[in-house]
Amino acid sequence: MATPETRSFDLTIIGSGPGGYVAAIRAAQLGLKTAVVEVAPQPGGTCLHWGCIPTKALLHAAEVYDTARQAQRIGVRCERVALDLDEVHRYKDRTVQANAKGIEFLFRKHGIALLRGRGKLAGAGRVAVDPEGEAPYTVATRHTILATGSAIAELPGVSFDGERVIHSDHALQLKRIPASLLVLGAGAVGVEFASIFASFGSKVTIVELLPRLLPLEDEALGTELEKAFRKRGIACYTGTRVEQVDVHETGVRVTAQRQGTPLTLEAEVLLVAVGRRPRTADLGLEATAVKLERGYVEVDAMMRTAEPGVYAIGDIVPTPALAHVASHEGVVAVEHAATGRARAVDYDKIPSCTYCNPEVASVGLTEARARERGYEVRTGSFPFSASGKARILDDMRGFVKIVAEARYHEILGVHIVGPHATELIAEATAALELEATTEALFHAVHAHPTLAEAMAEAALGVHGRSIHV
C-alpha cells in the first residue's frame, strides 16, 4: 500500500462542509480518485456541527415547546409542560452525530479518502496535510478545491468571554436559559437565536444597525417579521448603532444611538451575531496566482481561481453564504474539472430560508432590486389570514408576495413570511427555474386546503384577481 507521501489523487478538496463533501461525492460519481482534507474530528463543516443542523434542531424544540404550551387553544390539554434543556441538547447532538456518520458512510461508499489534518496548497499539483500529533505529508493532485468555509466575525472592541458576551457557537451550548438576552445583528443567525430563546423563556431584545430585520430580504418581509416578533414580546431596535459595550458582574450594558437619540440597553447575556468572515488565511495562497478581495477568493463562473487547477467554493468566495449554494458550486467545480464544462450557478434563483417563528423564505429578486434592474414591476400578495389551512393550523401570520414583470408576467421573485415558509418556497424556486409566468402558476391547480394555495392566490393578485381577499 502506498504511503501518504506517495499518494496521488485526481481531486483533493480542502474542507468537508456542504460544499466540500457534496463536491467529493459528485467527483467520485464521475470516476475521479478523490480525497478530502478535514482538520475537524468529523466531516460536515460549520453547517453540520455549528450552524444549520444544530440551530434548526433547537428551533424545532422551541416550536414543539410553543405548540405544547398553546395546545389548549385547539382543545388539547398538555399538563405540566416544561423545558428540559439537557435533553434538548442531547437531541440536538444526536441529530448532528447521525448526519456526520451519514457523511462518513457516503465517503466509504464512494471510495473517498478522508485525510485528517489541516490542508494547504504546497505548490503546483500538491497539497500539504498536517495531522495533529503526526508528521505532516504531501499528496499529489491534478485538481484542488478550496472549501474551507467561514468563521464568526468579531465586533471591534468587543471580546467574547463565552458567558456574558457570546457568539452563536456559545449559544448552541448554553447550559441554562438567560433571564434576558440582547441580540446584536438581525440577519438570519440573529433572528433565529432571538426566536429560540424567546420561546425558551428569555426576555429578548434585538439591535440592528440597518432599518429593518433581515435587511437582505424584501422590505415587506422584515417589516412583517418585526410586527410578529413584537407580538411575541421580542423588542426590536432597528436603525440603531452600538457605540459601547460594558460587561459588569450581573450582565451587559450596551450604549447606542437610535435616530440621533441616546439609548441604553441591559441584559444578562449579549449575543453578537454580526456575520462571518472567510477562512482564507494559512492556505498557502501567497505562493500562487489566487487573488483575494477583502479576504474572499476571486473565481469565475466555473469556480476557477487564477491558479491553474485550483477552484474555490462556498463561504470563501463572494457569493451568498448559504449551504446549498456551496453544494451547487462544488458540483460546478467538479464537473468542470472532470469534463471541461458545467452549468454555472444562477445566483438570481437561489432560495433563502430563515427558520425563526414565523418562518421567512424568498427566491429571486426583491421588488426594489427588480426596479433597479429596469423592470416594470407588478406585485401580488395574499395574506395567510385568508387561508383556510392557516386557520386550521391556528397560525395566520404573514403572507406570500410575488414580484413579476409587467409585460410578459414572468415571475422575478417570491417572498414569504408565515407558516412553513421554508417548505413553500420550493414551488417558487421551481417556477423561477422554469421561467414561469404568473398565469402558469395560478393555472396549476393547487390542492385545498393547503398553505400552497396562497402561492396561486398571490399569482392571481398580480392581475387583481385573488379569489379569497
Side-chain angles (χ1 to χ4, degrees):
M1 181 177 177
T3 63
E5 291 79 359
T6 61
R7 295 178 71 177
S8 63
F9 299 92
D10 297 315
L11 173 67
T12 301
I13 302 166
I14 303 177
S16 70
Y21 86 75
V22 169
I25 293 169
R26 181 63 185 133
Q29 290 173 341
L30 291 170
L32 301 183
K33 184 180 179 184
T34 303
V36 176
V37 184
E38 176 54 63
V39 67
Q42 292 180 303
T46 296
C47 176
L48 173 52
H49 295 280
W50 298 101
C52 316
I53 301 302
T55 306
K56 278 53 178 178
L58 291 185
L59 283 157
H60 179 58
E63 178 186 19
V64 172
Y65 186 40
D66 285 338
T67 300
R69 288 185 299 169
Q70 298 165 9
Q72 62 182 2
R73 292 175 54 179
I74 60 171
V76 178
R77 297 190 178 279
C78 298
E79 303 294 339
R80 295 185 295 277
V81 176
L83 182 72
D84 184 339
L85 189 58
D86 289 339
E87 191 58 43
V88 169
H89 283 309
R90 283 190 284 272
Y91 149 69
K92 175 200 68 183
D93 294 342
R94 286 196 308 271
T95 303
V96 170
Q97 285 302 308
N99 281 273
K101 292 183 183 301
I103 296 173
E104 291 173 341
F105 164 77
L106 289 171
F107 279 8
R108 292 192 299 271
K109 173 184 175 182
H110 291 283
I112 298 164
L114 180 57
L115 308 181
R116 308 284 184 176
R118 189 173 299 279
K120 63 189 298 184
L121 300 179
R126 312 287 287 183
V127 170
V129 182
D130 187 4
E132 185 176 357
E134 299 180 23
Y137 60 90
T138 302
V139 298
T141 185
R142 287 174 50 212
H143 305 283
T144 304
I145 297 178
L146 306 176
T148 47
S150 61
I152 291 166
E154 298 180 359
L155 187 68
V158 179
S159 299
F160 296 112
D161 60 20
E163 295 183 6
R164 294 298 180 193
V165 182
I166 66 173
H167 51 59
S168 58
D169 289 2
H170 298 135
L172 287 169
Q173 302 296 329
L174 286 181
K175 299 305 180 185
R176 64 179 183 83
I177 304 302
S180 55
L181 177 71
L182 180 59
V183 180
L184 183 54
V189 173
V191 299
E192 286 184 354
F193 276 107
S195 186
I196 290 167
F197 283 97
S199 293
F200 285 173
S202 297
K203 179 178 175 56
V204 177
T205 301
I206 298 179
V207 174
E208 169 57 46
L209 175 64
L210 294 174
R212 61 182 182 275
L213 305 185
L214 296 178
L216 297 182
E217 297 285 2
D218 189 272
E219 182 175 349
L221 298 189
T223 301
E224 184 72 10
L225 181 63
E226 181 172 341
K227 176 182 173 183
F229 268 17
R230 290 186 184 280
K231 286 185 176 180
R232 292 184 60 195
I234 301 173
C236 302
Y237 291 89
T238 53
T240 302
R241 180 183 296 277
V242 171
E243 297 183 334
Q244 186 172 330
V245 174
D246 297 306
V247 180
H248 51 83
E249 186 176 343
T250 59
V252 179
R253 180 181 298 109
V254 171
T255 304
Q257 286 275 346
R258 190 184 195 196
Q259 298 176 348
T261 302
L263 180 68
T264 300
L265 300 168
E266 297 208 30
E268 185 178 330
V269 175
L270 171 66
L271 169 61
V272 178
V274 293
R276 301 183 67 84
R277 56 178 176 81
R279 282 197 179 106
T280 49
D282 197 29
L283 282 178
L285 303 182
E286 300 80 7
T288 72
V290 173
K291 297 178 181 178
L292 296 178
E293 177 66 30
R294 296 180 296 107
Y296 292 93
V297 178
E298 294 185 2
V299 293
D300 65 10
M302 296 294 103
M303 313 313 298
R304 291 178 294 186
T305 71
E307 177 72 15
V310 177
Y311 298 76
I313 63 173
D315 287 6
I316 63 170
V317 301
T319 59
L322 300 168
H324 43 285
V325 171
S327 296
H328 277 262
E329 290 174 341
V331 170
V332 170
V334 165
E335 292 184 349
H336 185 269
T339 69
R341 61 187 185 277
R343 181 184 178 187
V345 177
D346 184 347
Y347 294 102
D348 279 348
K349 298 173 181 174
I350 298 297
S352 174
C353 295
T354 305
Y355 299 78
C356 52
N357 177 11
E359 292 187 346
V360 177
S362 64
V363 64
L365 302 181
T366 65
E367 181 178 352
R369 182 60 59 85
R371 295 188 190 280
E372 287 171 7
R373 292 199 183 178
Y375 288 104
E376 183 182 351
V377 172
R378 295 183 66 175
T379 66
S381 63
F382 185 79
F384 284 112
S385 60
S387 163
K389 182 60 180 286
R391 192 167 294 278
I392 290 168
L393 296 175
D394 198 29
D395 186 356
M396 294 161 285
R397 299 169 297 173
F399 54 81
V400 174
K401 175 181 177 180
I402 292 179
V403 178
E405 62 86 29
R407 184 176 182 184
Y408 298 109
H409 307 147
E410 181 180 349
I411 300 168
L412 302 176
V414 178
H415 310 277
I416 310 173
V417 55
H420 302 291
T422 60
E423 301 295 335
L424 292 174
I425 203 63
E427 179 182 4
T429 303
L432 263 69
E433 184 63 31
L434 295 169
E435 300 180 351
T437 63
T438 51
E439 288 92 337
L441 195 55
F442 67 65
H443 282 308
V445 178
H446 289 67
H448 176 77
T450 62
L451 294 172
E453 289 175 285
M455 195 79 69
E457 290 268 11
L460 284 165
V462 172
H463 304 269
R465 292 177 49 194
S466 292
I467 300 299
H468 289 93
V469 288

